[in-house]
Amino acid sequence: MTALFDGSGRKITLGSKIGTGGEGSVYDVANFNGRSISSSNLVAKIYHSTISPEKQAKLQCMVSGQDDQLKKLAAWPLATVHTKNGGPVHGFLMPKATGAEAVHHLYSPAQRKQEHPEASWAFLVSVARNVAAAFVAIHSHGHVIGDVNPNLVFVSRDSTVKLIDSDSFQISGNGKHYLCEVGVPHFTPPELQETSSFHGVRRSPNHDNFGLALLLFHILLMGRHPFAGVYSGSGDLPLEKSIAEFRYAYSRNAASKKMQPPPNSVTPSILPTNLATLFERAFTEAGAHSSGRPSARDWLPALESLRTHLRTCGQDSIHKFSASLSICPWCTQENQFNVCFFISAVPTGSQTAFNFNQVWVRITAVQPPKSVRPFSHTSFSVQPRPLPPELRSAKQASLVKKIIAVVLVLGSFAVAQPFIIFALIIGGFLFFSGEVDSSERRARQAALNNAQEEFSKLNERWKNEAGDGKFKEKVKELALIKSSYEGLANQFAQEKQKLQQNLREDQLRKFLSKALIADHNIPRIGPTRQATLASFGIETAADLSWQSVIRIKGFGKTYTSKLVNWRKSIERRFRFDPSKGIDPADLAQIQKQYTQKQKQLQGAFLAGPEQLMSIKQVCQKQRQSLPALITAAAERVAQAKADMSML
């Protein structure tokens, strides 16, 4: 791919690779039509292999149908990319989603508290509103997203969003529908849950509306899935089955579906009534009918209204909530359930006041599940399965043959010597030809092996999922976090002491870093070799060492010596000044690192009570569902062993 072209024959030069996926790789575009491109605004997706004529036509259709709105809200194809002018499509150019990350980093409470502790619910509401606006744009152009999933939406720090993977969208144009043939099961609407493949399946905006409602539910209600709840019916209920059966756990009629929200959940009751009603329509049977679910245009004004009608909690300024509520739902979660969804930072000088002991009390207040004992298969009284009649007859005949063989051999010793060898041969034939149960034995042994393997696996699940091991591990992990946090101040003091001890080395490093290789005339080190060095992170005298240069192919001892000698010449000009003391910039840097580490530990620690409760809930659920399975498996082992005893 040394020479690439767009659909109009303009030359494209790729920059560095940004990432690789299943279909292709994404590169920065360094130059387009002779004009340098900022690495922040244009990228190219290049497919690993030749794409079908249908996919080529789809991309060309998308390029011809682009406009400012699509380019703003999606990573939309701006131009097709070809390996030769006029050749087949090999990729496409698109806008780059800079400074953004997948939306699930925000709606996951644990991730948000660790990575974005400053994000409040007001920010999430704004993100939800912008997601709906992006769907409005796609649908207004006659397209359908199809594969709605948690990685579809990327969010910037200003809450703006961009939809990625647009080449997988279902596109309408040129009188055709270019289909989306992929999907994520837990984002697939109920009416498509039985679809084994999306090949040839034409999606509708109403299918997208299900995925949109799921994303909005995740964003607004702390990452919960609307169909994952407490099921009081018999048997297991996989999430896909729950979706297919419209078992919306937060519905007004959830009890009729034998469902209820998980304990301590944030429910749609924190939302204005109109938004809760939209979720009800989206996730119940009525939504499966044509245009039955709320559209993106239905969501947009409701979310816009919520965004402009938020209150700030009087107790904690990071708590934002709907003005339709009289009390703060986040304080309720903290006070009643010891669940904290947003980090409350109270500055005291340059640091943040945070009571780890107070949170530790909340952590230790979560009672651990009791330990469990493994199940046994020796306590069952079972009746062995009789052998088939024909096998019983055959075994009786075999027994007769064995008796005859023994009598024949023993009798031969009472007669002449020559008869002994003959009797042994005949007796051996009769004795060993009597094994007639080999096929039945193999079948029963296989049944026993399978039963034991299943029982062993279920017992292991019982130990891992229903036992207290994971709970203890999490408590130990949180104790280590607490210990690390308590040691931060000492670490900070040690780092400052190191700065004082290394004053000369730090001053030398700063002096050398001001000497750019490109600014000096080093013999035989021209622009090409300078670019090579820069590619290896060597741009100043401070970056230079014998080891860092000699490993670069093409430099060898000669050029390495020239560069090292140049560094030494710069170093000879250095004069240490002990009166300068610690550089304030260095002190600020370690203070920044200390503060970031402090926030990360606070976020991880604050998530502890919720994580422990979650582990406990999973444990309790498994203690309810697994015993019946293990008991049945244990009985099958006992039965299989009894069956083997008949042989």
Side-chain angles (χ1 to χ4, degrees):
M1 295 188 296
T2 54
L4 296 175
F5 304 88
D6 75 349
S8 300
R10 294 172 293 187
K11 192 171 181 180
I12 301 167
T13 303
L14 299 182
S16 59
K17 182 188 291 186
I18 299 173
T20 298
E23 280 191 321
S25 298
V26 178
Y27 299 82
D28 275 320
V29 174
N31 192 286
F32 181 43
N33 197 30
R35 179 168 55 89
S36 295
I37 302 296
S38 168
S39 61
S40 66
N41 60 17
L42 194 64
V43 294
K45 178 174 180 177
I46 306 298
Y47 293 103
H48 295 316
S49 57
T50 303
I51 59 176
S52 67
E54 179 81 2
K55 185 67 175 278
Q56 295 184 48
K58 177 181 182 178
L59 291 172
Q60 290 167 335
C61 177
M62 294 179 75
V63 169
S64 64
Q66 66 179 286
D67 60 20
D68 290 341
Q69 188 180 38
L70 290 174
K71 289 188 287 186
K72 179 181 178 182
L73 295 172
W76 199 263
L78 306 177
T80 52
V81 174
H82 309 254
T83 54
K84 62 179 180 178
N85 193 5
V89 177
H90 204 75
F92 60 92
L93 301 180
M94 60 182 172
K96 186 177 182 181
T98 56
E101 58 186 323
V103 69
H104 59 80
H105 286 244
L106 280 165
Y107 66 59
S108 163
Q111 278 190 287
R112 183 179 63 255
K113 285 187 285 190
Q114 293 185 45
E115 300 174 17
H116 302 284
E118 76 290 347
S120 69
W121 197 61
F123 183 83
L124 297 179
V125 171
S126 184
V127 170
R129 181 263 173 212
N130 293 336
V131 170
F135 274 66
V136 168
I138 300 301
H139 290 172
S140 65
H141 285 75
H143 309 311
V144 174
I145 293 169
D147 183 22
V148 180
N149 65 79
N151 292 308
L152 168 73
V153 179
F154 270 59
V155 184
S156 299
R157 291 194 173 271
D158 61 356
S159 81
T160 57
V161 305
K162 180 159 285 191
L163 308 181
I164 67 166
D165 292 331
S166 62
D167 55 324
S168 72
F169 292 2
Q170 178 177 293
I171 302 299
S172 296
N174 303 328
K176 292 186 64 177
H177 292 282
Y178 301 96
L179 303 181
C180 170
E181 299 189 337
V182 290
V184 175
H186 65 283
F187 266 73
T188 298
E191 61 271 25
L192 295 180
Q193 278 292 329
E194 298 300 321
T195 303
S196 59
S197 169
F198 289 108
H199 181 73
V201 176
R202 182 174 166 184
R203 316 278 184 97
S204 71
N206 198 46
H207 294 147
D208 268 6
N209 294 339
F210 180 82
L212 169 61
L214 265 174
L215 284 174
L216 299 179
F217 197 94
H218 284 321
I219 295 167
L220 296 175
L221 299 172
M222 305 297 102
R224 304 283 182 165
H225 195 291
F227 291 87
V230 178
Y231 176 54
S232 59
S234 60
D236 198 9
L237 184 68
L239 187 53
E240 293 89 339
K241 184 179 180 183
S242 181
I243 295 172
E245 296 177 353
F246 297 94
R247 296 185 187 273
Y248 173 36
Y250 299 79
S251 171
R252 304 181 187 112
N253 302 313
S256 66
K257 295 280 190 179
K258 300 183 178 180
M259 297 289 287
Q260 61 178 335
N264 308 335
S265 294
V266 179
T267 70
S269 63
I270 73 165
L271 303 173
T273 303
N274 62 334
L275 276 170
T277 301
L278 291 178
F279 281 125
E280 192 77 22
R281 284 175 50 198
F283 299 136
T284 55
E285 285 88 343
H289 301 300
S290 178
S291 302
R293 299 185 179 100
S295 68
R297 289 190 183 278
D298 294 327
W299 286 104
L300 190 56
L303 291 167
E304 182 63 43
S305 176
L306 174 61
R307 186 171 70 163
T308 56
H309 293 86
L310 293 176
R311 295 174 57 190
T312 299
C313 175
Q315 300 297 318
D316 196 328
S317 60
I318 200 171
H319 289 176
K320 313 290 182 181
F321 57 96
S322 170
S324 63
L325 300 178
S326 58
I327 59 174
C328 173
W330 313 118
C331 286
T332 300
Q333 286 287 323
E334 291 183 15
N335 297 333
Q336 292 187 5
F337 310 120
N338 285 327
V339 177
C340 178
F341 286 110
F342 301 98
I343 293 179
S344 306
V346 182
T348 56
S350 61
Q351 300 196 9
T352 300
F354 184 83
N355 193 330
F356 250 70
N357 289 326
Q358 191 177 56
V359 182
W360 183 249
V361 169
R362 289 166 51 199
I363 287 171
T364 55
V366 182
Q367 293 299 311
K370 294 180 180 179
S371 60
V372 295
R373 293 182 177 181
F375 280 74
S376 171
H377 54 70
T378 60
S379 58
F380 291 93
S381 177
V382 294
Q383 290 297 321
R385 183 163 51 91
L387 296 177
E390 62 275 12
L391 182 57
R392 289 201 301 271
S393 299
K395 287 183 73 66
Q396 290 172 357
S398 174
L399 179 61
V400 171
K401 289 181 181 180
K402 292 181 189 297
I403 293 172
I404 294 173
V406 171
V407 171
L408 181 63
V409 171
L410 292 176
S412 67
F413 287 95
V415 297
Q417 181 73 21
F419 289 101
I420 295 178
I421 296 176
F422 177 75
L424 286 172
I425 294 172
I426 299 298
F429 174 77
L430 290 173
F431 191 91
F432 291 107
S433 66
E435 296 296 334
V436 296
D437 63 349
S438 57
S439 61
E440 182 71 14
R441 184 180 296 275
R442 284 195 299 270
R444 294 194 178 205
Q445 184 64 54
L448 176 59
N449 293 343
N450 291 337
Q452 288 175 325
E453 182 180 2
E454 181 188 15
F455 177 73
S456 177
K457 287 180 179 178
L458 285 170
N459 239 340
E460 190 66 23
R461 279 187 64 190
W462 174 251
K463 174 186 173 184
N464 294 333
E465 299 174 20
D468 59 352
K470 288 186 178 180
F471 190 94
K472 288 181 177 178
E473 287 176 10
K474 176 54 69 173
V475 172
K476 189 180 295 184
E477 177 188 323
L478 293 169
L480 289 174
I481 292 173
K482 182 174 183 289
S483 177
S484 297
Y485 185 86
E486 291 169 342
L488 278 179
N490 187 47
Q491 290 178 19
F492 182 56
Q494 290 176 355
E495 289 297 325
K496 287 197 292 185
Q497 187 177 8
K498 285 181 183 178
L499 287 178
Q500 186 64 45
Q501 293 171 346
N502 298 328
L503 280 178
R504 187 184 189 285
E505 289 78 4
D506 288 338
Q507 285 187 24
L508 174 60
R509 176 176 50 80
K510 289 182 175 63
F511 180 79
L512 294 174
S513 65
K514 294 177 182 177
L516 292 168
I517 295 173
D519 291 344
H520 290 75
N521 185 19
I522 306 172
R524 309 288 296 275
I525 307 296
T528 302
R529 289 197 172 92
Q530 290 172 10
T532 302
L533 289 168
S535 299
F536 282 81
I538 303 172
E539 296 183 279
T540 72
D543 305 323
L544 271 172
S545 69
W546 179 274
Q547 292 79 7
S548 65
V549 178
I550 194 67
R551 66 187 178 88
I552 303 174
K553 210 168 186 180
F555 276 77
K557 294 181 179 180
T558 300
Y559 296 113
T560 301
S561 296
K562 292 180 183 296
L563 287 162
V564 171
N565 289 336
W566 171 74
R567 175 196 158 113
K568 289 179 180 177
S569 71
I570 300 296
E571 191 171 345
R572 284 194 290 269
R573 304 176 197 167
F574 168 70
R575 298 293 180 269
F576 173 55
D577 184 356
S579 65
K580 285 185 177 181
I582 297 175
D583 188 336
D586 289 340
L587 190 59
Q589 180 62 28
I590 65 166
Q591 176 68 60
K592 179 182 176 183
Q593 293 171 353
Y594 169 78
T595 302
Q596 288 175 340
K597 182 66 173 175
Q598 188 182 50
K599 286 184 177 180
Q600 288 173 357
L601 290 174
Q602 288 175 2
F605 203 61
L606 275 170
E610 180 189 354
Q611 291 169 339
L612 288 174
M613 287 298 297
S614 176
I615 292 171
K616 190 174 178 180
Q617 288 165 10
V618 170
C619 175
Q620 291 168 344
K621 182 179 179 181
Q622 294 300 74
R623 290 186 183 193
Q624 292 174 0
S625 61
L626 283 179
L629 296 175
I630 302 176
T631 301
E635 190 169 4
R636 284 193 287 274
V637 173
Q639 183 66 58
K641 283 191 171 184
D643 293 345
M644 279 297 295
S645 70
M646 295 296 290
L647 294 168

